[in-house]
Amino acid sequence: MTFAELGLRPELVRAVGGAGYTTPTPIQERGIPLALKGRDLIACAQTGTGKTAAFLLPILHRLAGGPRSRRPRALVVTPTRELAAQIGEMATRYGAHLRLRNTVIFGGVGMEPQTRRLRGGLDLLVATPGRLLDHLRRGQAELSHVEIVVLDEADRMLDMGFLPDVRRILGALPAKRQNLFFSATMPDEIEDLIRRTTNDPAMLEVTRRATPVGAISQIVHPVAMTSKSDLLTALLRKPETGQTLVFTRTKARANRLAKHLDKSGRRVAAIHGNKSQSARTRALAGFRTGSIDTLIATDIAARGIDVDGISHVVNFDLPTVPEDYVHRIGRTGRAGASGRAISLAAPEERSQLAAIERLVGKAIPREIVAGFAPGNAPAPLRATPRPRPRASRSPGGYRGRSAGAPGRRAARGAPAAGSNGRASR
Ligand code: AMP
């Protein structure tokens, strides 16, 4: 795949060639065509994946093709001045053969020169949230022409307390726009914001190192739903069970399981959207260093986790979206180590298991653990809690809607190629 094949205008292809890029990175290969179609995009991608070009190139493509305006038609909101400056530099570099203007505004420096630049006419505005809001409140920034907005490092903006500012900025934008949101992890607050502000988004997840599923040994333990916690406790007692990542369907089940396993002698932590970012960071750091040996996570919280040395992945609950199975188990067996994926499958999860086996193209071996045959289950004292009724809460909910077909926003379309270009500011 080349940059030209992605559908980018020749001026941009020339500029990325000049920057020394020969082939698009995975996020560019997958994200750029979708963004060019006008799709909203949610991308789980860390720094180093080429995410900046993944959003800047389609933006510049669109800006070069549309009607000229003195007001910015594209806005990138990013948490730090360093990132803002870097994005501005990249926009200038990638737009070197286009006649577009960009400017960067951030806090800690005088407002006056920024105000002049904001009023001087520009196509692309790159800003940190606090300073942009200051300009907006003083009537010095005009966002009514913005057609495409990027939230870059959304989870970091949350950590830094910028979410209220970000919400206000989004509120000042035209409702009809394209949203490109980038975040290394997907805490609940970000997921909520995304769900409220995007339209039929395509979900992209880029893990830095992929693991062939074939290298991971997989097993299914049939078990009654009510006996899963006890079975997992027994499995975790086996000496060969090292660093273990456990997936549950809901946050409540993650919490309950963490409490249950705490008594098992394992050093356990849970991460999910209700935990503060600092608690999540602490848990992940502990898991990396080994002070925690069992990490319980929901699919959404686990996005962006990139930890070597995970020996076991346990599907405490089978995922409702079969592709999540592959994402989950791909977290073990990295860097040439052997990995083991264990799935606890209750009779009521039969259809999920069948969908997973169809996806991986083979039957996964079953092994009943003595004393845990599904028929041996104690009668439940009370009903197992049902999943939350909001369908979009389900892990991978966005992914389910992401494939190929253009969304409603696609009607707005990408601009036609072919406008001539010159240097950008
Ligand atoms: P980012 O993830 O946007 O912070 O980009 C990380 C680094 O990768 C930057 O230094 C980019 O210049 C570089 N980069 C982005 N896209 C490509 C590509 N397709 N080929 C080689 N390097 C790239």
Side-chain angles (χ1 to χ4, degrees):
M1 175 68 78
T2 64
F3 280 98
E5 285 167 332
L6 293 179
L8 291 167
R9 62 181 63 244
E11 296 91 335
L12 292 168
V13 175
R14 191 142 56 95
V16 291
Y21 308 167
T22 49
T23 39
T25 65
I27 185 115
Q28 293 162 1
E29 189 174 323
R30 291 163 60 201
I32 290 173
L34 288 165
L36 287 176
K37 276 189 202 158
R39 286 289 298 270
D40 279 7
L41 222 62
I42 314 298
C44 251
Q46 298 170 343
T47 302
T49 53
K51 67 183 168 69
T52 313
F55 62 74
L56 280 179
L57 292 172
I59 284 181
L60 296 172
H61 180 105
R62 180 179 182 134
L63 291 178
R68 302 304 304 240
S69 157
R70 288 182 58 76
R71 314 283 186 214
R73 291 169 51 218
L75 169 68
V76 178
V77 185
T78 191
T80 67
R81 66 170 73 185
E82 290 78 15
L83 276 169
Q86 232 174 63
I87 293 167
E89 276 165 29
M90 286 189 176
T92 302
R93 193 197 300 177
Y94 302 148
H97 308 297
L98 294 170
R99 196 192 166 97
L100 296 169
R101 300 145 302 170
N102 76 68
T103 198
V104 177
I105 60 172
F106 46 71
V109 294
M111 288 190 85
E112 195 44 44
Q114 296 179 348
T115 308
R116 276 200 300 276
R117 295 207 300 275
L118 285 168
R119 291 195 171 143
L122 71 153
D123 301 287
L124 167 64
L125 173 60
V126 182
T128 54
R131 178 55 64 97
L132 176 56
L133 205 57
D134 282 348
H135 281 291
L136 270 176
R137 285 190 176 124
R138 295 174 191 205
Q140 293 160 183
E142 165 68 61
L143 301 180
S144 60
H145 288 59
V146 170
E147 299 165 26
I148 177 163
V149 63
V150 175
L151 292 190
D152 181 40
E153 310 225 346
D155 50 354
R156 213 155 141 204
M157 292 204 266
L158 168 73
D159 287 349
M160 294 170 77
F162 288 149
L163 218 52
D165 289 358
V166 169
R167 279 201 196 95
R168 275 183 211 116
I169 291 165
L170 290 175
L173 300 179
K176 187 171 176 260
R177 60 171 194 264
Q178 186 180 5
N179 301 285
L180 307 178
F181 291 173
F182 289 76
S183 199
T185 57
M186 217 35 89
D188 258 20
E189 296 90 328
I190 296 297
E191 209 211 330
D192 278 353
L193 177 79
I194 284 170
R195 193 176 314 106
R196 262 180 245 167
T197 47
T198 56
N199 179 8
D200 188 27
M203 177 93 196
L204 296 180
E205 184 178 10
V206 183
T207 40
R208 267 189 265 181
R209 284 159 292 164
T211 307
V213 167
I216 300 161
S217 81
Q218 302 169 57
I219 188 115
V220 169
H221 293 312
V223 61
M225 192 63 89
T226 46
S227 301
K228 282 188 173 188
S229 307
D230 290 332
L231 172 55
L232 182 58
T233 307
L235 294 173
L236 289 174
R237 284 206 186 102
K238 292 185 176 178
E240 70 270 20
T241 317
Q243 291 299 100
T244 302
L245 180 58
V246 182
F247 285 93
T248 61
R249 197 188 60 226
T250 65
K251 292 177 275 191
R253 282 172 71 78
N255 279 342
R256 234 174 299 143
L257 182 61
K259 263 192 202 146
H260 190 96
L261 294 182
D262 244 354
K263 297 168 216 146
S264 72
R266 298 281 293 194
R267 298 181 301 273
V268 182
I271 55 165
H272 53 65
N274 285 359
K275 299 267 177 182
S276 69
Q277 188 59 33
S278 61
R280 279 197 292 257
T281 308
R282 247 194 337 272
L284 264 180
F287 194 52
R288 276 202 183 93
T289 58
S291 62
I292 283 164
D293 55 27
T294 308
L295 187 67
I296 305 169
T298 55
D299 289 281
I300 286 165
R303 288 204 174 121
I305 292 183
D306 189 18
V307 179
D308 285 333
I310 297 176
S311 70
H312 289 64
V313 166
V314 175
N315 296 304
F316 186 76
D317 296 313
L318 293 187
T320 44
V321 178
E323 285 82 1
D324 279 344
Y325 177 82
V326 178
H327 287 300
R328 287 177 176 189
I329 73 170
R331 294 170 193 281
T332 180
R334 287 189 167 179
S338 64
R340 193 160 172 77
I342 297 172
S343 299
L344 309 190
E348 50 268 56
E349 292 172 300
R350 196 174 295 128
S351 64
Q352 282 137 268
L353 183 55
I356 289 165
E357 291 183 319
R358 269 197 305 278
L359 181 73
V360 299
K362 63 172 191 173
I364 305 169
R366 274 48 166 185
E367 186 185 285
I368 290 178
V369 178
F372 288 98
N376 294 348
L381 293 176
R382 55 192 171 88
T384 313
R386 294 173 62 78
R388 282 166 182 251
R390 286 156 64 186
S392 52
R393 274 269 169 202
S394 72
Y398 292 111
R399 189 179 300 124
R401 280 176 269 133
S402 70
R408 270 168 284 158
R409 275 175 195 272
R412 288 207 308 277
S419 100
N420 57 357
R422 252 192 16 229
S424 71
R425 153 152 157 49

